[in-house]
Amino acid sequence: MPTIESVTGPLEAGDLGTTLIHEHLRTRDEANARQFPHLYDGDALYAAAVEAARNALDRGVKTIGEPTAMFLGRDVRFIERVAKETGLQAIVCTGIYTYDHLPLFWQSRSPDVMADALVHDIERGIQDTDIKAAFLKCAADEPGVNDNVEKIHRACARASLKTGAPIMAHSRPASNTGPRQVEILLEEGVAPEKIQIAHCGDTDDLGYIEGLIEKGVYVGLDRFGIEMYQPMERRLNTAQALLEKGYEEKLFLSADSCASIDWFPEEMVEMLMGEGAVKDWTISLTHDQVIPALKERGMTDDQLTTMMVENPKRWLAGG
Ligand SMILES: [Zn+2]
């Protein structure tokens, strides 16, 4: 059985158990946090992460995919600390999360040089630790797949080919980024079953989502609770329709929750995410609301196991 790297060392693929593939223990701008540390209450952010981890464990979650890449404040020691304190297993990534901006360092270098940096994180360790990345992360959003975004996708693809690590790509259905993202990764030679297009549940255009699935990639229904992009009811309708069509082997359920996020002042988070939504947009949401609702709508136990246990294993370990 192949092993999968976690922040606390390699795991047997069979030990992943119930996995939320896309949840963040802390999200913040790393440059800002480094330059203005007085704006952050480190102890409170750590406590929030520990609380989230415990809430997940209480619901039977054994592992999370923690896709906090460069520019989202990646700090693998922080995640390791939470994992060691709580016992929650965490799988981390390497990659660059940007919709456009790249440091001059990367603007002047090729995708192959970037790929080598990513391979280092997978084979040697992240941020001078021996904690290894288990997957790659890239992103495309409102500006579309522009030159910098394309460079990162190609770098992730080449790092994946060298290491076998799968790729998670943040996408924006409203900007139709998914098809082009898949096209680039496939063009580079990545096997479709190594690719996960995140945030597909932000649309309820079934044709768009099925078009991606037909390419052989996984899609994330991974933002339950972010009402501003798609309300819960419509996300559930989408999941139900895809399950009725028998696509469970290509789907992930998650919330993309952030135990803390510095993107907005607190009062604005409430406003942006919609009335009543924010309090529920947590790591617990998938188990507290989404799974029970989908069961009521006819999801079988086998389908649930496929999405929460088998798909993470297959995507991360192959085979
Ligand atoms: Zn995310």
Side-chain angles (χ1 to χ4, degrees), residues 12-48:
E12 299 288 324
D15 276 344
L16 286 183
T18 296
T19 301
L20 288 169
I21 207 69
H22 196 132
E23 309 292 342
H24 300 270
L25 293 175
R26 186 182 63 191
T27 300
R28 61 183 186 175
D29 184 281
E30 61 213 41
N32 205 58
R34 172 64 78 97
Q35 299 302 333
F36 304 110
H38 65 279
L39 296 176
Y40 299 85
D41 180 345
D43 292 343
L45 300 183
Y46 179 69

mmCIF file of all heavy atoms in Angstrom, residues 12-48:
data_model
loop_
_atom_site.group_PDB
_atom_site.id
_atom_site.type_symbol
_atom_site.label_atom_id
_atom_site.label_comp_id
_atom_site.label_asym_id
_atom_site.label_seq_id
_atom_site.Cartn_x
_atom_site.Cartn_y
_atom_site.Cartn_z
ATOM 1 N N GLU A 12 -0.180 5.409 5.940
ATOM 2 C CA GLU A 12 -0.663 4.398 5.001
ATOM 3 C C GLU A 12 -1.921 4.970 4.347
ATOM 4 O O GLU A 12 -2.730 5.605 5.037
ATOM 5 C CB GLU A 12 -1.051 3.112 5.743
ATOM 6 C CG GLU A 12 0.078 2.452 6.508
ATOM 7 C CD GLU A 12 1.090 1.806 5.577
ATOM 8 O OE1 GLU A 12 0.661 1.272 4.530
ATOM 9 O OE2 GLU A 12 2.297 1.862 5.869
ATOM 10 N N ALA A 13 -2.064 4.721 3.050
ATOM 11 C CA ALA A 13 -3.252 5.257 2.362
ATOM 12 C C ALA A 13 -4.537 4.833 3.076
ATOM 13 O O ALA A 13 -5.482 5.598 3.189
ATOM 14 C CB ALA A 13 -3.270 4.812 0.907
ATOM 15 N N GLY A 14 -4.526 3.621 3.594
ATOM 16 C CA GLY A 14 -5.705 3.113 4.287
ATOM 17 C C GLY A 14 -5.991 3.805 5.615
ATOM 18 O O GLY A 14 -7.064 3.646 6.192
ATOM 19 N N ASP A 15 -5.030 4.588 6.107
ATOM 20 C CA ASP A 15 -5.202 5.289 7.378
ATOM 21 C C ASP A 15 -5.792 6.686 7.246
ATOM 22 O O ASP A 15 -5.993 7.370 8.245
ATOM 23 C CB ASP A 15 -3.861 5.422 8.099
ATOM 24 C CG ASP A 15 -3.527 4.177 8.888
ATOM 25 O OD1 ASP A 15 -4.453 3.370 9.109
ATOM 26 O OD2 ASP A 15 -2.355 4.014 9.265
ATOM 27 N N LEU A 16 -6.041 7.114 6.008
ATOM 28 C CA LEU A 16 -6.600 8.465 5.847
ATOM 29 C C LEU A 16 -7.960 8.567 6.517
ATOM 30 O O LEU A 16 -8.282 9.550 7.149
ATOM 31 C CB LEU A 16 -6.753 8.823 4.363
ATOM 32 C CG LEU A 16 -5.500 9.161 3.571
ATOM 33 C CD1 LEU A 16 -5.904 9.547 2.144
ATOM 34 C CD2 LEU A 16 -4.728 10.305 4.211
ATOM 35 N N GLY A 17 -8.775 7.534 6.334
ATOM 36 C CA GLY A 17 -10.118 7.555 6.920
ATOM 37 C C GLY A 17 -10.964 8.662 6.317
ATOM 38 O O GLY A 17 -10.686 9.147 5.203
ATOM 39 N N THR A 18 -11.973 9.077 7.062
ATOM 40 C CA THR A 18 -12.847 10.146 6.586
ATOM 41 C C THR A 18 -12.047 11.433 6.440
ATOM 42 O O THR A 18 -11.419 11.896 7.392
ATOM 43 C CB THR A 18 -14.014 10.345 7.577
ATOM 44 O OG1 THR A 18 -14.805 9.153 7.582
ATOM 45 C CG2 THR A 18 -14.889 11.521 7.168
ATOM 46 N N THR A 19 -12.069 11.984 5.239
ATOM 47 C CA THR A 19 -11.194 13.116 4.913
ATOM 48 C C THR A 19 -11.991 14.279 4.350
ATOM 49 O O THR A 19 -12.761 14.109 3.400
ATOM 50 C CB THR A 19 -10.136 12.661 3.873
ATOM 51 O OG1 THR A 19 -9.376 11.570 4.422
ATOM 52 C CG2 THR A 19 -9.197 13.794 3.501
ATOM 53 N N LEU A 20 -11.799 15.441 4.942
ATOM 54 C CA LEU A 20 -12.287 16.682 4.332
ATOM 55 C C LEU A 20 -11.129 17.213 3.501
ATOM 56 O O LEU A 20 -10.079 17.564 4.031
ATOM 57 C CB LEU A 20 -12.694 17.693 5.416
ATOM 58 C CG LEU A 20 -13.980 17.371 6.175
ATOM 59 C CD1 LEU A 20 -14.128 18.280 7.398
ATOM 60 C CD2 LEU A 20 -15.210 17.496 5.267
ATOM 61 N N ILE A 21 -11.309 17.261 2.213
ATOM 62 C CA ILE A 21 -10.181 17.484 1.312
ATOM 63 C C ILE A 21 -9.738 18.943 1.250
ATOM 64 O O ILE A 21 -8.631 19.240 0.828
ATOM 65 C CB ILE A 21 -10.522 16.958 -0.110
ATOM 66 C CG1 ILE A 21 -9.253 16.565 -0.877
ATOM 67 C CG2 ILE A 21 -11.345 17.938 -0.902
ATOM 68 C CD1 ILE A 21 -8.531 15.358 -0.387
ATOM 69 N N HIS A 22 -10.602 19.863 1.719
ATOM 70 C CA HIS A 22 -10.266 21.279 1.498
ATOM 71 C C HIS A 22 -10.727 22.148 2.662
ATOM 72 O O HIS A 22 -11.826 22.697 2.658
ATOM 73 C CB HIS A 22 -10.925 21.751 0.186
ATOM 74 C CG HIS A 22 -10.347 23.034 -0.337
ATOM 75 N ND1 HIS A 22 -9.972 23.196 -1.648
ATOM 76 C CD2 HIS A 22 -10.054 24.211 0.268
ATOM 77 C CE1 HIS A 22 -9.482 24.421 -1.828
ATOM 78 N NE2 HIS A 22 -9.533 25.061 -0.674
ATOM 79 N N GLU A 23 -9.871 22.242 3.674
ATOM 80 C CA GLU A 23 -10.179 23.082 4.840
ATOM 81 C C GLU A 23 -8.881 23.749 5.293
ATOM 82 O O GLU A 23 -7.826 23.130 5.288
ATOM 83 C CB GLU A 23 -10.740 22.228 6.000
ATOM 84 C CG GLU A 23 -11.901 21.302 5.643
ATOM 85 C CD GLU A 23 -13.213 21.994 5.279
ATOM 86 O OE1 GLU A 23 -13.385 23.182 5.610
ATOM 87 O OE2 GLU A 23 -14.061 21.338 4.639
ATOM 88 N N HIS A 24 -8.999 25.001 5.700
ATOM 89 C CA HIS A 24 -7.809 25.765 6.108
ATOM 90 C C HIS A 24 -7.803 26.005 7.622
ATOM 91 O O HIS A 24 -8.804 26.395 8.194
ATOM 92 C CB HIS A 24 -7.781 27.129 5.418
ATOM 93 C CG HIS A 24 -7.754 27.050 3.920
ATOM 94 N ND1 HIS A 24 -6.584 27.005 3.202
ATOM 95 C CD2 HIS A 24 -8.762 27.007 2.996
ATOM 96 C CE1 HIS A 24 -6.867 26.955 1.895
ATOM 97 N NE2 HIS A 24 -8.180 26.940 1.751
ATOM 98 N N LEU A 25 -6.649 25.811 8.236
ATOM 99 C CA LEU A 25 -6.531 26.037 9.674
ATOM 100 C C LEU A 25 -6.164 27.488 9.999
ATOM 101 O O LEU A 25 -6.363 27.947 11.121
ATOM 102 C CB LEU A 25 -5.507 25.078 10.283
ATOM 103 C CG LEU A 25 -5.930 23.599 10.254
ATOM 104 C CD1 LEU A 25 -4.816 22.696 10.769
ATOM 105 C CD2 LEU A 25 -7.210 23.373 11.067
ATOM 106 N N ARG A 26 -5.614 28.198 9.034
ATOM 107 C CA ARG A 26 -5.368 29.641 9.199
ATOM 108 C C ARG A 26 -5.082 30.219 7.826
ATOM 109 O O ARG A 26 -4.246 29.690 7.094
ATOM 110 C CB ARG A 26 -4.181 29.898 10.131
ATOM 111 C CG ARG A 26 -3.975 31.380 10.466
ATOM 112 C CD ARG A 26 -2.765 31.622 11.365
ATOM 113 N NE ARG A 26 -1.520 31.226 10.708
ATOM 114 C CZ ARG A 26 -0.340 31.126 11.321
ATOM 115 N NH1 ARG A 26 -0.243 31.373 12.609
ATOM 116 N NH2 ARG A 26 0.731 30.745 10.640
ATOM 117 N N THR A 27 -5.792 31.285 7.478
ATOM 118 C CA THR A 27 -5.592 31.924 6.180
ATOM 119 C C THR A 27 -5.278 33.391 6.416
ATOM 120 O O THR A 27 -6.035 34.100 7.071
ATOM 121 C CB THR A 27 -6.879 31.815 5.326
ATOM 122 O OG1 THR A 27 -7.176 30.431 5.137
ATOM 123 C CG2 THR A 27 -6.689 32.468 3.969
ATOM 124 N N ARG A 28 -4.148 33.829 5.902
ATOM 125 C CA ARG A 28 -3.803 35.244 6.035
ATOM 126 C C ARG A 28 -2.719 35.594 5.038
ATOM 127 O O ARG A 28 -2.072 34.711 4.476
ATOM 128 C CB ARG A 28 -3.339 35.546 7.458
ATOM 129 C CG ARG A 28 -2.088 34.770 7.867
ATOM 130 C CD ARG A 28 -1.758 35.078 9.300
ATOM 131 N NE ARG A 28 -0.503 34.485 9.733
ATOM 132 C CZ ARG A 28 0.031 34.712 10.925
ATOM 133 N NH1 ARG A 28 -0.580 35.495 11.798
ATOM 134 N NH2 ARG A 28 1.174 34.154 11.264
ATOM 135 N N ASP A 29 -2.559 36.885 4.849
ATOM 136 C CA ASP A 29 -1.506 37.329 3.947
ATOM 137 C C ASP A 29 -0.170 37.212 4.669
ATOM 138 O O ASP A 29 0.054 37.844 5.698
ATOM 139 C CB ASP A 29 -1.762 38.771 3.527
ATOM 140 C CG ASP A 29 -0.734 39.220 2.509
ATOM 141 O OD1 ASP A 29 0.395 39.550 2.908
ATOM 142 O OD2 ASP A 29 -1.068 39.216 1.325
ATOM 143 N N GLU A 30 0.718 36.391 4.120
ATOM 144 C CA GLU A 30 1.955 36.117 4.854
ATOM 145 C C GLU A 30 2.891 37.318 4.902
ATOM 146 O O GLU A 30 3.611 37.504 5.890
ATOM 147 C CB GLU A 30 2.665 34.912 4.240
ATOM 148 C CG GLU A 30 3.057 35.095 2.807
ATOM 149 C CD GLU A 30 2.989 33.761 2.048
ATOM 150 O OE1 GLU A 30 2.047 32.986 2.271
ATOM 151 O OE2 GLU A 30 3.893 33.521 1.251
ATOM 152 N N ALA A 31 2.892 38.152 3.868
ATOM 153 C CA ALA A 31 3.752 39.336 3.895
ATOM 154 C C ALA A 31 3.248 40.295 4.973
ATOM 155 O O ALA A 31 4.017 40.828 5.772
ATOM 156 C CB ALA A 31 3.753 40.011 2.529
ATOM 157 N N ASN A 32 1.947 40.476 5.009
ATOM 158 C CA ASN A 32 1.357 41.364 6.010
ATOM 159 C C ASN A 32 1.633 40.851 7.428
ATOM 160 O O ASN A 32 1.993 41.619 8.323
ATOM 161 C CB ASN A 32 -0.144 41.464 5.761
ATOM 162 C CG ASN A 32 -0.726 42.746 6.288
ATOM 163 O OD1 ASN A 32 -0.295 43.825 5.899
ATOM 164 N ND2 ASN A 32 -1.673 42.629 7.186
ATOM 165 N N ALA A 33 1.460 39.553 7.599
ATOM 166 C CA ALA A 33 1.666 38.969 8.934
ATOM 167 C C ALA A 33 3.124 39.095 9.367
ATOM 168 O O ALA A 33 3.422 39.286 10.552
ATOM 169 C CB ALA A 33 1.227 37.506 8.931
ATOM 170 N N ARG A 34 4.032 38.988 8.419
ATOM 171 C CA ARG A 34 5.449 39.101 8.733
ATOM 172 C C ARG A 34 5.820 40.553 9.053
ATOM 173 O O ARG A 34 6.604 40.829 9.953
ATOM 174 C CB ARG A 34 6.268 38.565 7.553
ATOM 175 C CG ARG A 34 7.755 38.779 7.659
ATOM 176 C CD ARG A 34 8.372 38.010 8.851
ATOM 177 N NE ARG A 34 8.545 36.602 8.548
ATOM 178 C CZ ARG A 34 9.695 36.082 8.131
ATOM 179 N NH1 ARG A 34 10.749 36.827 7.979
ATOM 180 N NH2 ARG A 34 9.777 34.789 7.887
ATOM 181 N N GLN A 35 5.247 41.489 8.316
ATOM 182 C CA GLN A 35 5.635 42.889 8.457
ATOM 183 C C GLN A 35 4.885 43.610 9.582
ATOM 184 O O GLN A 35 5.419 44.543 10.172
ATOM 185 C CB GLN A 35 5.410 43.645 7.135
ATOM 186 C CG GLN A 35 6.218 43.092 5.972
ATOM 187 C CD GLN A 35 7.713 43.094 6.229
ATOM 188 O OE1 GLN A 35 8.233 43.906 7.002
ATOM 189 N NE2 GLN A 35 8.437 42.161 5.618
ATOM 190 N N PHE A 36 3.659 43.203 9.831
ATOM 191 C CA PHE A 36 2.852 43.877 10.856
ATOM 192 C C PHE A 36 2.282 42.850 11.829
ATOM 193 O O PHE A 36 1.064 42.699 11.953
ATOM 194 C CB PHE A 36 1.710 44.671 10.208
ATOM 195 C CG PHE A 36 2.168 45.668 9.182
ATOM 196 C CD1 PHE A 36 1.912 45.465 7.829
ATOM 197 C CD2 PHE A 36 2.868 46.817 9.559
ATOM 198 C CE1 PHE A 36 2.338 46.374 6.870
ATOM 199 C CE2 PHE A 36 3.298 47.740 8.600
ATOM 200 C CZ PHE A 36 3.041 47.517 7.250
ATOM 201 N N PRO A 37 3.170 42.141 12.512
ATOM 202 C CA PRO A 37 2.679 41.056 13.389
ATOM 203 C C PRO A 37 1.746 41.567 14.489
ATOM 204 O O PRO A 37 0.919 40.810 14.985
ATOM 205 C CB PRO A 37 3.967 40.459 13.967
ATOM 206 C CG PRO A 37 5.037 41.477 13.729
ATOM 207 C CD PRO A 37 4.632 42.264 12.523
ATOM 208 N N HIS A 38 1.871 42.859 14.831
ATOM 209 C CA HIS A 38 1.017 43.386 15.911
ATOM 210 C C HIS A 38 -0.453 43.403 15.516
ATOM 211 O O HIS A 38 -1.331 43.570 16.356
ATOM 212 C CB HIS A 38 1.472 44.807 16.290
ATOM 213 C CG HIS A 38 1.285 45.804 15.188
ATOM 214 N ND1 HIS A 38 2.176 45.927 14.144
ATOM 215 C CD2 HIS A 38 0.296 46.698 14.944
ATOM 216 C CE1 HIS A 38 1.744 46.874 13.323
ATOM 217 N NE2 HIS A 38 0.606 47.347 13.774
ATOM 218 N N LEU A 39 -0.747 43.230 14.215
ATOM 219 C CA LEU A 39 -2.145 43.213 13.776
ATOM 220 C C LEU A 39 -2.799 41.851 14.003
ATOM 221 O O LEU A 39 -3.987 41.675 13.730
ATOM 222 C CB LEU A 39 -2.237 43.569 12.285
ATOM 223 C CG LEU A 39 -1.771 44.988 11.919
ATOM 224 C CD1 LEU A 39 -1.820 45.194 10.400
ATOM 225 C CD2 LEU A 39 -2.631 46.038 12.624
ATOM 226 N N TYR A 40 -2.015 40.893 14.443
ATOM 227 C CA TYR A 40 -2.529 39.520 14.588
ATOM 228 C C TYR A 40 -2.359 39.051 16.031
ATOM 229 O O TYR A 40 -1.326 39.296 16.645
ATOM 230 C CB TYR A 40 -1.767 38.568 13.660
ATOM 231 C CG TYR A 40 -1.920 38.924 12.200
ATOM 232 C CD1 TYR A 40 -1.092 39.882 11.619
ATOM 233 C CD2 TYR A 40 -2.886 38.309 11.415
ATOM 234 C CE1 TYR A 40 -1.231 40.222 10.275
ATOM 235 C CE2 TYR A 40 -3.029 38.643 10.072
ATOM 236 C CZ TYR A 40 -2.195 39.601 9.505
ATOM 237 O OH TYR A 40 -2.334 39.937 8.188
ATOM 238 N N ASP A 41 -3.351 38.348 16.529
ATOM 239 C CA ASP A 41 -3.276 37.747 17.859
ATOM 240 C C ASP A 41 -2.942 36.261 17.663
ATOM 241 O O ASP A 41 -3.821 35.434 17.454
ATOM 242 C CB ASP A 41 -4.623 37.922 18.577
ATOM 243 C CG ASP A 41 -4.616 37.306 19.976
ATOM 244 O OD1 ASP A 41 -3.695 36.502 20.279
ATOM 245 O OD2 ASP A 41 -5.528 37.619 20.756
ATOM 246 N N GLY A 42 -1.665 35.966 17.697
ATOM 247 C CA GLY A 42 -1.186 34.619 17.387
ATOM 248 C C GLY A 42 -1.842 33.538 18.232
ATOM 249 O O GLY A 42 -2.215 32.483 17.709
ATOM 250 N N ASP A 43 -1.993 33.810 19.537
ATOM 251 C CA ASP A 43 -2.585 32.794 20.412
ATOM 252 C C ASP A 43 -4.040 32.525 20.042
ATOM 253 O O ASP A 43 -4.494 31.377 20.050
ATOM 254 C CB ASP A 43 -2.514 33.244 21.883
ATOM 255 C CG ASP A 43 -1.078 33.272 22.391
ATOM 256 O OD1 ASP A 43 -0.204 32.650 21.733
ATOM 257 O OD2 ASP A 43 -0.828 33.928 23.417
ATOM 258 N N ALA A 44 -4.758 33.588 19.702
ATOM 259 C CA ALA A 44 -6.175 33.424 19.343
ATOM 260 C C ALA A 44 -6.297 32.650 18.028
ATOM 261 O O ALA A 44 -7.183 31.800 17.877
ATOM 262 C CB ALA A 44 -6.855 34.784 19.213
ATOM 263 N N LEU A 45 -5.409 32.923 17.092
ATOM 264 C CA LEU A 45 -5.476 32.223 15.803
ATOM 265 C C LEU A 45 -5.143 30.742 15.989
ATOM 266 O O LEU A 45 -5.767 29.868 15.370
ATOM 267 C CB LEU A 45 -4.525 32.865 14.787
ATOM 268 C CG LEU A 45 -4.804 34.337 14.463
ATOM 269 C CD1 LEU A 45 -3.851 34.847 13.391
ATOM 270 C CD2 LEU A 45 -6.249 34.544 14.026
ATOM 271 N N TYR A 46 -4.184 30.471 16.856
ATOM 272 C CA TYR A 46 -3.843 29.077 17.138
ATOM 273 C C TYR A 46 -5.017 28.373 17.827
ATOM 274 O O TYR A 46 -5.389 27.246 17.459
ATOM 275 C CB TYR A 46 -2.579 28.999 17.992
ATOM 276 C CG TYR A 46 -2.203 27.578 18.329
ATOM 277 C CD1 TYR A 46 -1.746 26.710 17.349
ATOM 278 C CD2 TYR A 46 -2.353 27.085 19.631
ATOM 279 C CE1 TYR A 46 -1.439 25.390 17.638
ATOM 280 C CE2 TYR A 46 -2.049 25.771 19.937
ATOM 281 C CZ TYR A 46 -1.592 24.928 18.939
ATOM 282 O OH TYR A 46 -1.301 23.619 19.231
ATOM 283 N N ALA A 47 -5.608 29.059 18.797
ATOM 284 C CA ALA A 47 -6.748 28.468 19.519
ATOM 285 C C ALA A 47 -7.899 28.173 18.555
ATOM 286 O O ALA A 47 -8.568 27.140 18.666
ATOM 287 C CB ALA A 47 -7.212 29.413 20.637
ATOM 288 N N ALA A 48 -8.117 29.066 17.593
ATOM 289 C CA ALA A 48 -9.197 28.851 16.618
ATOM 290 C C ALA A 48 -8.900 27.618 15.760
ATOM 291 O O ALA A 48 -9.809 26.833 15.440
ATOM 292 C CB ALA A 48 -9.357 30.086 15.730
#
